[in-house]
Amino acid sequence: MMRRMFPLFAAALLALQLAGCGSAGNSGASSANPEATPIPPHDVAQVSGSAAASSPGEPVLQRQNADGSETQITEAAEEVVGALRDRDLERLAEWIDPKEGLRFSPYPHLNSSDRIFHANELPSFNDTSKLEWGTYDGSGEPIRLTFKEYFEQFVYDQDFASAPHVSTDERIGSGDVPFNGTDFYPNASLVEYHFPREEDADLDWKSLILMFVPSGDEWRLCAIVHAQWTI
């Protein structure tokens, strides 16, 4: 009797072992299935923060660090003075503060009558209309110039991108016209590009002052101020 039962018992045991192997094989095949749903990668914006979310070509501006670092404001000024050098008004418009607009002041003493343009209002160099930009120092006569004429006389009349002296939040040029930019923009920072007086040339000192206001975690251009020796 026991001899007849043993073959049956062995067959049942073998069947159980084969069933276990088949289950393990199916599990392995499932984990290697190329159609299985992949694990999604981390979202770039969550990993990299706001810098990753910036659009290509969009000016990336940052306010000064807690340790007083001036890197961000000087980099912003370099971008703006480069746009002025290249006469690239589209690049310039990208930096204009959306709330304050961009003020043009022919002298360091800002006035309520200064011309202010928002990004979509900048005139073109081809515009032949004469605008009033204030009054000439000394004579008091009105400054009536096209945008191009004003730009050549009171914005980029020197290659300021190559100026020998550049300062941040500290005036270099000084004259009889006081600078009152912080009265209009108390939270602003400025970068001044300065050409000193040349003793052996018929050229007195000139400066281009770029003023930036904080906008969130960014710096935005709010004023382009021209300064020079005056009578």
Side-chain angles (χ1 to χ4, degrees):
M1 181 68 176
M2 289 297 295
R3 289 180 179 180
R4 288 197 300 270
M5 293 293 294
F6 183 79
L8 295 175
F9 178 75
L13 182 60
L14 180 60
L16 289 173
Q17 291 176 344
L18 291 174
C21 291
S23 175
N26 290 339
S27 176
S30 175
S31 63
N33 185 359
E35 297 180 358
T37 303
I39 299 174
H42 292 294
D43 182 72
V44 174
Q46 293 176 351
V47 175
S48 302
S50 60
S54 299
S55 301
E58 180 180 347
V60 179
L61 306 157
Q62 294 181 350
R63 298 185 64 181
Q64 289 177 302
N65 296 334
D67 62 358
S69 171
E70 299 174 349
T71 302
Q72 292 80 16
I73 189 68
T74 54
E75 288 179 352
E78 287 174 3
E79 290 289 335
V80 170
V81 78
L84 295 175
R85 176 198 60 211
D86 299 338
R87 274 64 173 174
D88 191 335
L89 298 181
E90 290 186 4
R91 278 167 56 199
L92 178 66
E94 292 177 351
W95 292 88
I96 296 176
D97 183 77
K99 180 180 178 182
E100 300 288 351
L102 177 57
R103 176 188 299 269
F104 288 88
S105 180
Y107 300 106
H109 193 79
L110 280 57
N111 292 285
S112 57
S113 59
D114 291 335
R115 285 280 172 183
I116 299 177
F117 299 97
H118 286 84
N120 62 344
E121 298 173 340
L122 276 178
S124 74
F125 289 127
N126 296 324
D127 194 333
T128 59
S129 57
K130 299 276 187 176
L131 301 175
E132 287 198 11
W133 304 86
T135 58
Y136 286 103
D137 177 75
S139 69
E141 293 294 322
I143 302 173
R144 297 192 72 252
L145 300 170
T146 66
F147 179 72
K148 181 179 181 180
E149 290 171 340
Y150 179 87
F151 188 96
E152 299 296 339
Q153 185 174 343
F154 289 106
V155 176
Y156 211 82
D157 57 335
Q158 296 290 324
D159 186 14
F160 289 109
S162 302
H165 302 293
V166 181
S167 69
T168 302
D169 286 327
E170 184 177 354
R171 286 296 318 280
I172 303 176
S174 62
D176 59 350
V177 179
F179 175 71
N180 64 340
T182 53
D183 293 342
F184 283 77
Y185 307 102
N187 297 324
S189 281
L190 65 86
V191 177
E192 180 174 351
Y193 294 85
H194 179 74
F195 280 92
R197 183 175 185 272
E198 296 182 9
E199 297 291 344
D200 57 346
D202 187 20
L203 174 66
D204 222 306
W205 70 269
K206 289 188 177 182
S207 288
L208 180 70
I209 304 168
L210 304 178
M211 298 189 68
F212 296 84
V213 289
S215 177
D217 292 332
E218 303 176 339
W219 287 109
R220 292 290 178 183
L221 183 68
C222 64
I224 296 178
V225 183
H226 188 267
Q228 64 184 47
W229 178 85
T230 52
I231 300 174

